[in-house]
């Protein structure tokens, strides 16, 4: 039986994929299992995409340590993986004396965490540098090393690079039972597949508590905490240059206004504890709250520019800190749990740390042929006219624009399929087709055509994101 | 660089009619139509219902039939066209960048006609909360899947929006064996034609829920239902009126937005009210030698009107190629929409071309017993009684030769509504 691994990671979010990719640099047989049909289907696709500087978390916590380390490692990682990263800096804005005092606390905490470059800036500096902000803002904490990235693209890139280096990922594998047998874990999926591994890493996000319990390991509870967002159309004139936070409260970092790496504007999130761990719905109250709070910072925001709304769920642990440890009782079971914000930023450092820990346990050697580089799909929208013509000469489909809002060519969609996209959402996250102002109104039928052609299945088999998310239910006529 | 006299962007009914008129009026016949879809005909290709051409051809045609008449003329006259070709950029100097499987190319035109049509507003644009399952479509998408590709898109549907497109789709879905549970309309009135309410809803027993809003979409994988609610006059939910409707499909038909991203690149100024360029009675935009017509200019209910406007645009585009100086020196008189009138097109009258012109406009609200007034330098030049006016129906009045002869062009032309007393 070849389905015996040295290490299996549960969960193909940014944390799981970061660990998998780091593990793929060692001489080990490794895999990951994921309940959904694609990577980045959990928190890793629906967050703010901020690479935090590290002034928020309390010193001495895992959060503080991995955040600051992650921030330092981010740029290099994104370079290796050909993922967008822009170090645009962040401002935490204060409206009154009380809030200015909090900025001072954040500054001190940041310094203790080892964050560089932090400074409190006065009103005139803030308004000169961010001309669209509310003139009532009194001061701001400036964090020059804060950045923005594309969270799901990073997850996809980590995945692709891990695969390139020999890792395997099983999709649609929802772990429902964990047994131990002769020093091995046997994990069972809901659809009755099983895999065997020496080391099991729990990166199941909001369900990490359940997995830990299945394995008989440490008991903790994850509370799902939802955050809702608006995405605005790419503005004609710049709205903000940096990530604009408001002073944090006990509920978290609060509603922000930021450009995304793709040039849109993101507003959100709020923070609400919810009952159900999968409830990624948006609500009128939540959306209203977000918009009102965002408008406090940029008075001119208008709902006319909204192109979509969504929400993400933070995996908030009752321990109030990331749980990153080999279990005390269950040997070789490693919890990487409660990875709420700044989990995206931290994922890089967590990956390195956990993979290192495992390699040491297994006495694994670094591979000599590990390739840390991954190349992104060539994007029509990003090339010069000469480069476009070169590409079209080689690949005529590069000249066929499928998504008109984001200028995505047929070539890119086919390439995304070659790299593992199987669904409309999978194509969307890999290429941006359908993410523009018409939200797939024009290109969805064309993407279904291409998916059905490339995968050689009927269009009725194409889903939005796997399982029963079918788009067309029956062929009525035609060939 | 390849040079044309007139380049028409978009091969829908607007583009086709403009090209044909340019062809008639242009000596060198150097015209190019550029269309990004694989076929000419635009949105009409997927509108297989009847109701096209009553005014223009005095005959009731389906969308594809209506388009075909123009396509045949284009082919017969040998007008050059490119399909599967996307226009990426236009400059104020009228350089057009296109891309297709053969590569990227820059073309030069003396005049350009913008005829890119419109895109549909989406669920995101109207921000309906809830989950994001499969089974949410815009009307245009559904039309394409059903009418062109031959697929069934669901079993039970709720339609959001009761304009003509929503109404027509309600009938279409029903004919395809999809049960339409309701058409939900936030306004207290439908913006669709009375005829369509009868023929598309009442004849099939489909409920039209006015002053109702979908407040939440449910379902994790495929849509499982919607919650609707009655709304008050501020469109706020009235507590206690919420109701769940089970369905696997939600169809959004909540309006079209003129597709003017390209126009802006060429420096064309957009009228916030129409979403399309400001134009004068030659359909010339604010950018020299760039004309606009069809849905890219303002949203039309009837393709016949599109054709008429496009013919004017095409004619003047041809004239521009031959006598550009006539346009540069144009002195403009404003045509102003006020008191109950939302917008009027054209927004200016070019005094170099004082020819009879049709003003097309929409009102702000549903009105009963009003008069439409045309005023110039304090004089009421025209008075038209209307028993019923609705934002859903485009209105028009003609500036005839007689009216033009009475005008003082140094003063604005004002269009407004007044009570009919
Ligand atoms: C609203 C919000 C805003 C945020 N903003 C930021 C930010 O700006 N910057 C930042 O650094 N961080 C941010 N974060 C945090 C960051 O998004 C998360 O820390 C990170 O995405 C967590 O990654 P993950 O891999 O642990 O979890 P996930 O991405 O949730 O992945 C877990 C995976 O496990 C799978 N899974 C679960 N159960 C099973 C099972 N039984 N079997 C198999 N697979 C299973 C799930 O399907 C899922 O794919 C934010 C989070 C949220 C929700
Ligand atoms: C569902 C529905 C029902 C209707 N029912 C009726 C009816 O019963 N009776 C009636 O009279 N009218 C009806 N209409 C209205 C009528 O169809 C429209 O008014 C008319 O089609 C608008 O024509 P157009 O040429 O402006 O736009 P379109 O038909 O949208 O054509 C625009 C064309 O431009 C192309 N294009 C856009 N951008 C580019 C670019 N960058 N490069 C290349 N090409 C580009 C597009 O692909 C498209 O083919 C209906 C419309 C709809 C949507």
């Amino acid at each position: 039986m070849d389905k015996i691994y040295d290490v299996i990671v549960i969960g193909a979010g940014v944390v799981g994929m970061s660990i998998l990719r780091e593990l793929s640099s060692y001489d080990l047989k490794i895999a990951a299992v994921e309940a959904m049909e694609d990577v980045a289907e959990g928190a890793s696709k629906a967050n703010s995409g901020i690479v935090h500087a590290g002034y928020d978390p309390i010193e001495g916590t895992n959060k503080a340590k991995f955040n600051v380390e992650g921030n330092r490692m981010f740029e290099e990682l994104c370079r290796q993986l050909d993922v967008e990263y822009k170090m645009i800096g962040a401002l935490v804005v204060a409206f009154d004396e009380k809030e200015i005092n909090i900025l001072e606390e954040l500054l001190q905490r940041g310094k203790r965490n080892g964050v560089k470059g932090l400074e409190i800036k006065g009103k005139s500096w803030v308004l000169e540098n961010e001309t669209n902000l509310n003139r009532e803002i009194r001061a701001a904490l400036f964090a020059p090393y804060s950045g923005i990235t594309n969270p799901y693209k990073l997850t996809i890139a980590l995945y692709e690079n891990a695969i390139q280096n020999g890792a395997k990922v099983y999709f649609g594998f929802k772990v429902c039972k964990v047994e131990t047998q002769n020093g091995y874990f046997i994990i069972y999926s809901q659809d009755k597949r099983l895999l065997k591994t020496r080391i099991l890493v729990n990166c199941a996000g909001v369900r990490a508590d359940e997995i830990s319990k299945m394995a008989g390991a440490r008991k903790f509870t994850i509370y799902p905490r939802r955050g809702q967002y608006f995405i605005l159309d790419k503005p004609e004139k710049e709205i903000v240059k940096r990530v604009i936070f408001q002073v944090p409260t006990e509920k978290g970092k609060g509603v922000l206004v930021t450009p995304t790496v793709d040039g849109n504007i993101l507003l959100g999130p709020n923070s609400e504890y919810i009952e159900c761990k999968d409830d990624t719905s948006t609500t009128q109250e939540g959306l209203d709250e977000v918009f009102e709070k965002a408008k406090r910072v940029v008075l001119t925001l208008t709902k006319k520019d909204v192109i979509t709304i969504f929400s993400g769920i933070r995996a908030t642990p009752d321990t109030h800190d990331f749980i990153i440890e080999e279990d005390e009782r269950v040997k070789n079971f490693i919890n990487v749990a409660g990875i709420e914000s700044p989990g995206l930023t931290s994922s890089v450092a967590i990956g390195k740390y956990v993979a290192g820990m495992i390699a040491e346990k297994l006495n694994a050697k670094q591979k000599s042929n590990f390739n840390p580089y991954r190349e992104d799909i060539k994007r029509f929208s990003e090339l010069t006219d000469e480069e476009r013509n070169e590409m079209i000469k080689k690949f005529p489909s590069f000249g066929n624009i499928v998504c008109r809002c984001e200028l995505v060519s047929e070539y890119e969609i086919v390439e995304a399929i070659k790299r593992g996209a199987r669904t409309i959402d999978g194509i969307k996250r890999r290429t941006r087709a359908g993410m523009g102002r018409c939200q797939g109104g024009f290109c969805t039928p064309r993407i279904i055509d291409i998916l059905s052609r490339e995968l050689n299945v009927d269009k009725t088999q194409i889903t939005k994101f796997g399982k029963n998310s079918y788009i067309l239910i029956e062929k009525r006529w035609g060939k | 660089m390849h040079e044309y006299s007139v380049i028409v962007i978009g091969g829908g009914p607007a583009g086709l009619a403009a090209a044909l008129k340019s062809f008639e009026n242009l000596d060198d016949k150097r015209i190019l139509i550029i269309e990004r879809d694989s076929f000419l005909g635009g949105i009409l290709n997927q509108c297989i219902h009847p109701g096209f051409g009553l005014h223009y051809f005095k005959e009731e045609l389906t969308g594809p039939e209506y388009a075909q008449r123009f396509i045949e003329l284009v082919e017969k006259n040998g007008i050059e066209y490119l399909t599967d070709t996307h226009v990426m950029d236009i400059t104020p100097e009228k350089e057009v960048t296109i891309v297709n499987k053969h590569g990227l190319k820059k073309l030069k035109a003396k005049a350009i006609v913008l005829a890119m049509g419109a895109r549909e507003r989406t669920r995101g644009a109207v921000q309906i909360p809830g989950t994001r399952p499969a089974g949410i479509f815009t009307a245009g998408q559904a039309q394409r899947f059903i009418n062109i590709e031959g697929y069934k898109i669901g079993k039970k549907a709720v339609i959001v929006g009761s304009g003509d497109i929503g109404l027509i789709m309600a009938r279409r879905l029903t004919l395809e064996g999809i049960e339409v549970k309701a058409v939900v309309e936030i306004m207290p009135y439908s913006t669709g034609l009375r005829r369509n309410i009868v023929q598309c809803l009442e004849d099939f027993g489909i409920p039209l829920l006015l002053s109702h809003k979908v407040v939440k979409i449910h379902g994790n994988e495929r849509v499982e239902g919607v919650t609707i609610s009655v709304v008050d006059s501020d469109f706020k939910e009235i507590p206690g009126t919420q109701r769940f409707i089970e369905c696997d499909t939600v169809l959004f038909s909540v309006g079209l937005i003129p597709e003017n991203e390209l126009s802006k690149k060429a420096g064309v100024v957009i009228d916030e009210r129409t979403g399309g360029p400001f134009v004068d009675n030659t359909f010339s935009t604010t950018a020299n030698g760039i004309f606009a017509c069809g849905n890219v200019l303002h949203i039309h209910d009837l393709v016949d009107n599109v054709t008429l406007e496009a013919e004017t645009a095409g004619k003047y585009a041809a004239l521009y190629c031959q006598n550009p100086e006539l346009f540069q020196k144009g002195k403009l008189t404003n045509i102003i929409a006020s008191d109950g009138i939302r917008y009027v097109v054209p927004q200016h009258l070019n005094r170099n071309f004082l020819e009879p012109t049709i003003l097309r406009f929409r009102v702000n609200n549903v009105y009963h017993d009003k008069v439409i007034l045309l005023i110039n330098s304090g004089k009421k030049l025209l008075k038209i009684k209307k028993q019923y006016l609705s934002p859903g129906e485009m209105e028009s009045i003609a500036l005839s030769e007689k009216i033009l002869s009475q005008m003082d062009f140094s003063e604005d032309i004002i269009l407004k509504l007044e009570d009919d007393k």
Side-chain angles (χ1 to χ4, degrees):
Chain A
M1 177 166 151
D2 65 344
K3 298 202 169 156
I4 304 175
Y5 290 91
D6 294 319
V7 190
I8 286 182
V9 172
I10 302 176
V14 72
V15 173
M17 289 303 97
S18 180
I19 294 172
L20 192 71
R21 188 252 185 180
E22 286 294 338
L23 283 172
S24 75
S25 73
Y26 294 97
D27 219 348
L28 290 170
K29 195 167 177 228
I30 59 170
V33 296
E34 167 56 49
M36 302 293 286
E37 300 298 328
D38 202 347
V39 297
E41 287 283 4
S44 301
K45 78 169 173 199
N47 58 61
S48 310
I50 310 297
V51 180
H52 290 289
Y55 50 79
D56 271 306
I58 310 289
E59 55 267 38
T61 58
N62 277 336
K63 277 187 190 173
K65 172 178 162 218
F66 288 107
N67 180 346
V68 174
E69 264 179 47
N71 179 291
R72 280 186 201 137
M73 295 161 67
F74 224 90
E75 188 160 20
E76 169 64 10
L77 180 78
C78 288
R79 203 177 53 79
Q80 289 179 344
L81 297 178
D82 205 1
V83 170
E84 300 96 327
Y85 169 63
K86 292 183 186 161
M87 204 192 280
I88 58 175
L91 289 173
V92 188
V93 297
F95 284 87
D96 57 33
E97 216 49 49
K98 215 176 106 209
E99 290 188 346
I100 294 175
N101 288 335
I102 300 177
L103 297 187
E104 191 59 44
E105 275 173 39
L106 289 177
L107 175 75
Q108 295 312 328
R109 196 191 298 158
K111 282 185 175 164
R112 289 193 296 270
N113 286 345
V115 181
K116 282 191 225 130
L118 294 176
E119 248 180 287
I120 291 180
K121 299 279 194 186
K123 175 172 183 148
S124 59
W125 188 95
V126 175
L127 296 179
E128 255 165 55
N129 285 277
E130 290 287 353
T131 48
N132 295 320
L133 297 192
N134 185 345
R135 320 280 322 155
E136 313 235 306
I137 285 166
R138 298 267 310 277
L141 174 68
F142 177 45
Y145 294 104
S146 293
I148 53 176
T149 189
N150 183 322
Y152 44 85
K153 273 220 205 129
L154 175 63
T155 312
I156 290 163
L158 287 163
Y159 158 75
E160 286 180 8
N161 192 225
I163 300 287
Q164 271 173 294
N165 286 299
K168 162 96 189 146
V169 179
Y170 295 87
F171 289 106
F173 194 111
K174 181 165 187 184
V175 177
C176 60
K177 196 163 92 182
V178 179
E179 281 175 359
T180 44
Q181 201 183 72
N182 310 330
Y184 277 94
F185 292 96
I186 305 178
I187 59 171
Y188 296 83
S189 73
Q190 220 170 21
D191 60 356
K192 310 245 155 35
R193 284 178 278 169
L194 66 91
L195 295 169
K196 240 171 142 176
T197 181
R198 289 163 72 188
I199 293 193
L200 187 60
V201 188
N202 173 17
C203 303
V206 85
R207 303 209 174 269
D209 52 351
E210 294 160 32
I211 299 285
S212 189
K213 207 167 140 205
M214 275 180 219
R218 175 175 167 181
K219 285 203 183 64
F220 52 87
T221 307
I222 304 255
Y223 295 102
R225 188 161 59 91
R226 183 169 64 192
Q228 305 187 28
Y229 292 93
F230 291 89
I231 298 265
L232 310 192
D233 201 353
K234 296 174 184 171
E236 271 165 46
K237 284 198 213 93
E238 193 171 67
I239 294 181
V240 291
K241 291 192 181 70
R242 300 169 184 77
V243 189
I244 313 294
F245 292 101
Q246 303 186 37
V247 162
T249 64
E250 66 283 357
K251 283 174 88 182
K253 288 185 277 285
V255 169
L256 57 83
V257 178
T258 182
T260 68
V261 282
D262 300 299
N264 297 84
I265 293 287
L266 180 77
L267 313 178
N270 64 343
S271 166
E272 48 183 332
Y273 284 99
I274 51 172
E275 294 290 314
C276 168
K277 287 180 172 178
D278 306 311
D279 185 5
T280 51
S281 59
T282 47
T283 63
Q284 196 62 55
E285 304 77 56
L287 293 170
D288 287 347
E289 179 192 349
V290 167
F291 208 82
E292 256 161 57
K293 288 191 173 157
K295 264 190 92 117
R296 188 171 170 239
V297 174
V298 181
L299 299 167
T300 52
L301 293 174
T302 131
K303 283 198 180 164
K304 268 216 298 229
D305 297 328
V306 174
I307 59 175
T308 192
I309 50 181
F310 67 90
S311 79
I313 299 178
R314 307 170 185 88
T316 302
D318 56 2
T319 59
H320 305 295
D321 194 11
F322 295 163
I323 302 167
I324 304 175
E325 63 190 19
E326 179 175 1
D327 196 71
E328 277 185 6
R329 284 173 299 173
V330 186
K331 214 172 132 256
N332 293 339
F333 180 81
I334 299 171
N335 267 318
V336 185
I339 313 296
E340 54 176 346
S341 190
L344 170 66
T345 316
S346 307
S347 63
V348 191
I350 294 174
K352 194 142 217 134
Y353 172 81
V354 174
M357 182 167 119
I358 292 168
E360 200 177 289
K361 280 178 72 73
L362 295 179
N363 229 332
K365 300 222 166 32
Q366 285 277 357
K367 275 183 200 160
S368 57
N369 58 349
F370 172 68
N371 174 12
Y373 297 101
R374 168 263 184 192
E375 240 181 281
D376 193 13
I377 300 173
K378 274 252 188 318
R379 293 177 195 279
F380 185 92
S381 64
E382 284 169 10
L383 302 187
T384 63
D385 287 354
E386 290 73 46
E387 292 169 327
R388 286 167 174 166
N389 264 330
E390 287 293 299
M391 277 295 287
I392 296 171
K393 244 182 245 153
K394 273 191 274 177
F395 308 100
S397 62
F398 202 71
N400 181 22
I401 300 298
V402 174
C403 167
R404 60 196 190 187
C405 301
E406 298 292 318
L407 286 184
V408 182
S409 67
E410 180 183 347
Y411 166 90
E412 290 157 75
I413 290 163
V414 172
E415 188 62 21
I417 298 169
K418 284 188 189 151
R419 293 170 182 224
R422 292 290 173 270
T423 62
I424 301 285
D425 284 357
I427 300 272
K428 181 166 105 175
R429 288 200 288 273
R430 284 171 179 82
T431 66
R432 282 192 69 71
M435 286 200 169
R437 57 178 69 87
C438 93
Q439 288 286 299
F442 175 81
C443 63
T444 304
R446 286 150 179 91
I447 291 169
I448 293 177
D449 286 349
I450 299 171
L451 271 166
S452 125
R453 181 188 77 206
E454 296 296 311
L455 301 175
N456 199 17
V457 297
D458 189 77
K459 290 187 205 176
T460 50
Q461 297 307 301
I462 305 300
T463 62
K464 187 169 186 295
F465 50 81
K467 300 197 176 146
N468 287 314
S469 63
Y470 294 105
I471 293 159
L472 306 172
I473 63 164
E474 187 191 322
K475 179 83 184 154
R476 307 260 301 171
W477 48 263
K479 59 172 163 56
Chain B
M1 204 183 314
H2 225 84
E3 248 197 77
Y4 289 89
S5 290
V6 178
I7 291 184
V8 176
I9 303 174
L16 295 173
L20 282 163
K21 263 291 166 231
S22 288
F23 184 83
E24 268 175 40
N25 287 282
L26 199 65
D27 299 331
D28 67 17
K29 313 286 183 207
R30 289 195 307 164
I31 301 165
L32 174 68
I33 306 171
I34 307 169
E35 168 58 52
R36 68 177 160 215
D37 218 325
S38 307
F39 309 96
L40 296 176
I43 201 81
L44 294 183
N45 286 323
Q46 57 190 62
C47 298
I48 62 172
H49 58 280
F52 298 82
L54 274 169
H55 301 266
Y56 194 78
F57 291 115
K58 311 278 182 270
E59 241 187 287
E60 192 165 36
L61 305 172
T62 64
E65 285 170 336
Y66 187 93
Q68 194 56 33
R69 300 205 170 183
F70 292 90
I71 296 170
E72 276 166 15
L73 283 174
V74 163
E75 303 213 314
K76 198 177 112 215
N77 288 316
I79 297 178
E80 208 180 318
Y81 65 84
L82 289 169
T83 51
D84 290 310
T85 303
H86 185 87
V87 174
M88 288 181 39
D89 199 15
I90 338 173
T91 66
E93 292 72 39
K94 294 177 291 269
E95 212 176 89
V96 178
T97 311
I98 62 166
V99 61
N100 57 27
K101 291 198 166 184
H102 307 293
L104 207 87
K105 239 194 194 146
K106 285 193 199 307
L107 310 172
K108 181 95 180 88
K110 286 191 188 138
I112 291 176
V113 180
L114 304 171
M116 290 91 77
R119 66 167 182 275
E120 296 179 277
R121 291 179 78 204
T122 62
R123 175 211 183 165
V126 287
Q127 295 138 48
I128 309 284
T131 52
R132 308 210 300 164
I136 300 172
F137 301 86
T138 61
Q141 267 180 348
Q143 252 186 350
R144 188 177 176 103
F145 286 133
I146 296 170
N147 296 347
I148 296 190
E149 302 187 8
Y151 283 88
K152 188 164 170 176
I153 58 165
K155 295 196 174 97
K156 294 175 195 166
V158 164
I159 296 181
V160 186
S162 71
D164 286 316
I165 299 177
L167 300 175
I168 285 167
M169 286 313 288
R171 175 176 64 189
R172 189 74 197 106
L173 295 187
T174 311
L175 296 176
E176 282 299 309
I178 300 168
E179 184 191 349
V180 179
K181 294 285 198 77
V183 174
V184 180
E185 170 60 60
I186 195 167
M187 304 300 280
Y189 51 85
S190 159
T191 56
L193 297 170
R194 183 68 216 150
R195 175 186 91 195
N196 281 332
I197 295 178
V198 175
Q199 292 176 1
C200 299
L201 300 188
E202 291 174 6
D203 287 359
F204 296 94
I206 300 168
L208 170 61
L209 306 176
L210 300 175
S211 293
H212 273 71
K213 182 178 169 186
V214 170
V215 294
K216 191 153 194 169
I217 292 177
H218 307 263
N220 289 321
E221 293 166 17
R222 178 83 191 194
V223 171
E224 286 162 22
V226 297
T227 300
I228 62 167
S229 166
V230 182
V231 295
D232 62 20
S233 52
D234 293 327
F235 309 119
K236 288 248 148 49
E237 280 175 64
I238 297 177
T241 62
Q242 283 81 357
R243 174 152 76 87
F244 179 80
I245 304 182
E246 192 211 320
C247 61
D248 64 0
T249 303
V250 186
L251 208 101
F252 278 90
S253 172
V254 288
L256 299 175
I257 304 172
E259 181 103 17
N260 276 293
E261 283 65 36
L262 265 180
S263 324
K264 289 181 198 164
K265 290 190 186 176
V268 167
V269 181
I270 303 297
D271 183 344
E272 291 265 324
R273 293 162 303 181
T274 55
F278 281 100
V279 291
D280 63 24
N281 52 324
T282 68
F283 290 87
S284 167
T285 68
T286 55
N288 229 321
I290 301 184
F291 298 78
C293 55
N295 277 352
V296 80
L297 179 58
H298 61 140
I299 302 301
H300 296 72
D301 326 319
L302 290 181
V303 70
D304 310 65
N305 295 333
V306 167
T307 302
L308 292 170
E309 260 178 28
E311 290 182 338
T312 311
K315 177 180 113 186
Y316 283 109
L319 184 63
Y320 180 91
C321 296
Q322 284 143 0
N323 301 90
E325 69 287 348
L326 284 179
F327 291 80
Q328 268 147 12
K329 286 187 299 237
K331 293 209 169 63
L332 301 180
T333 299
N334 294 323
I335 307 171
I336 291 175
S338 77
D339 299 54
I341 296 190
R342 183 148 53 104
Y343 75 73
V344 56
V345 170
Q347 295 92 336
H348 305 286
L349 202 63
N350 186 331
R351 284 178 241 157
N352 289 355
F353 303 96
L354 290 177
E355 288 164 28
T357 296
I358 308 275
L359 303 184
R360 295 186 206 282
F361 57 94
R362 285 182 197 272
V363 295
N364 277 329
N365 220 320
V366 167
Y367 298 108
H368 297 274
D369 301 317
K370 292 271 176 189
V371 276
I372 301 168
L373 284 179
L374 184 74
I375 302 173
N376 172 246
S377 72
K379 281 185 295 185
K380 294 182 183 169
L381 295 182
L382 202 66
K383 223 173 157 175
I384 299 169
K385 285 194 183 198
K386 283 278 176 181
Q387 280 181 327
Y388 179 80
L389 288 159
S390 143
E393 283 179 51
M394 196 193 282
E395 299 289 336
S396 67
I397 64 169
L399 294 187
S400 61
E401 215 140 314
K402 183 165 155 244
I403 292 176
L404 287 169
S405 69
Q406 300 166 21
M407 282 202 174
D408 172 0
F409 296 107
S410 61
E411 297 270 339
D412 292 345
I413 299 166
I414 296 164
L415 203 60
K416 67 180 210 176
L417 290 187
E418 227 173 53
D419 287 333
D420 187 13
K421 286 172 291 218

